[in-house]
Amino acid sequence: MTITIINDCRDANAIGRQCARTSALFHAPVSFIGVSHDLEAAGNLVDALDAVGDQPAVILVNVAPRNGKAKRWKNGTPFGYFRCKNTLVLASIDGYVLSLVKKLDLTKEICVLDIPTVLQQITEHQNLTEETKRQIINTQFRSFDFLPRAAFALHSGVILEYTPLPIEQISDSPFGIWWIDNFGNCKTTLLRGDVFLDGSGMAALAFGRVPFIEHLREVPEGEGALI
């Protein structure tokens, strides 16, 4: 089994703590992808799902700002989960985190979790004390204190109460770039059907027209193109 963490808490200390706790619970190796915003998380989530294919896997995603709209939640945006093939995904539900899951029609609903309720349900399974439960409910590091524990419970067959959230209520993905790789290639949220091609094979984008080319190897040296 593989475990992937996608998170905006990405300094060395935060990465180490998250990976250590998750690996200790699952007795499995953990990969970490650091992101800076929710659209980066959305792209990395669908890339990770593609990478694991049909194999058993767990993916944990958290990009949860505490300002702006996030103030409406008592302690940050809720987490929800869904299953895609043999992968269990737990993710924060606000913003664009799940927007590409929606666009690619990978699930019909998200199972939204209530942290205090979940902690009551997993107390015996993970030997949580009342003091530990209080700390988790009020924690400022939920992707360390709560998310791995909830994922491990679900993976172990514990049935957690949830509120269904239809995928239609998740934000639509904007047209844009979610990642720039080390070669300078820009990964976009566009699908082929999102792009208007004129008769000369040029793609009309917000910043102008560029050639649409099937394969990266066919792009002329030093020129830009949409592939």
Side-chain angles (χ1 to χ4, degrees):
M1 185 181 71
T2 63
I3 302 172
T4 303
I5 296 174
I6 302 169
N7 206 295
D8 60 350
C9 297
R10 62 191 195 279
D11 63 86
N13 176 265
I15 292 172
R17 293 172 70 195
Q18 292 174 77
C19 291
R21 169 157 289 170
T22 305
S23 181
L25 284 168
F26 284 88
H27 299 286
V30 178
S31 299
F32 190 97
I33 303 172
V35 298
S36 59
H37 54 75
D38 49 354
L39 197 58
E40 281 189 357
N44 278 288
L45 170 55
V46 296
D47 264 5
L49 284 167
D50 174 66
V52 299
D54 295 329
Q55 299 303 308
V58 175
I59 302 175
L60 308 179
V61 191
N62 184 31
V63 179
R66 295 186 177 276
N67 53 6
K69 293 181 180 179
K71 289 290 188 181
R72 69 182 185 274
W73 307 111
K74 186 175 181 180
N75 188 23
T77 176
F79 293 103
Y81 74 91
F82 68 94
R83 288 182 168 85
C84 180
K85 297 181 180 178
N86 291 316
T87 299
L88 169 66
V89 178
L90 283 83
S92 48
I93 65 171
D94 258 350
Y96 296 126
V97 171
L98 296 171
S99 62
L100 292 178
V101 167
K102 175 183 180 180
K103 184 168 187 174
L104 297 175
D105 195 25
L106 299 182
T107 186
K108 298 301 181 185
E109 71 175 20
I110 309 299
C111 303
V112 180
L113 301 173
D114 174 69
I115 291 179
T117 301
V118 168
L119 292 176
Q120 286 299 118
Q121 293 178 286
I122 68 174
T123 292
E124 184 175 343
H125 176 254
Q126 298 180 23
N127 298 317
L128 301 182
T129 65
E130 290 300 318
E131 177 61 24
T132 298
K133 286 191 291 185
R134 284 193 295 271
Q135 290 175 354
I136 295 172
I137 289 172
N138 296 304
T139 184
Q140 299 298 296
F141 198 0
R142 300 178 310 152
S143 50
F144 171 69
D145 289 315
F146 174 73
L147 202 55
R149 289 184 168 106
F152 183 60
L154 288 166
H155 175 73
S156 303
V158 178
I159 299 174
L160 302 181
E161 292 183 31
Y162 67 86
T163 301
L165 177 69
I167 196 66
E168 291 78 14
Q169 295 185 29
I170 295 296
S171 299
D172 290 326
S173 171
F175 293 156
I177 294 166
W178 61 266
W179 195 263
I180 301 176
D181 70 16
N182 60 295
F183 298 106
N185 300 311
C186 301
K187 290 193 169 190
T188 79
T189 62
L190 297 169
L191 299 179
R192 185 182 292 264
D194 296 326
V195 181
F196 174 76
L197 301 177
D198 62 25
S200 63
M202 301 290 284
L205 303 178
F207 53 80
R209 296 166 70 249
V210 296
F212 178 82
I213 297 176
E214 281 289 335
H215 303 291
L216 179 61
R217 64 178 180 271
E218 297 168 357
V219 177
E221 188 73 26
E223 296 186 15
L226 185 68
I227 55 174

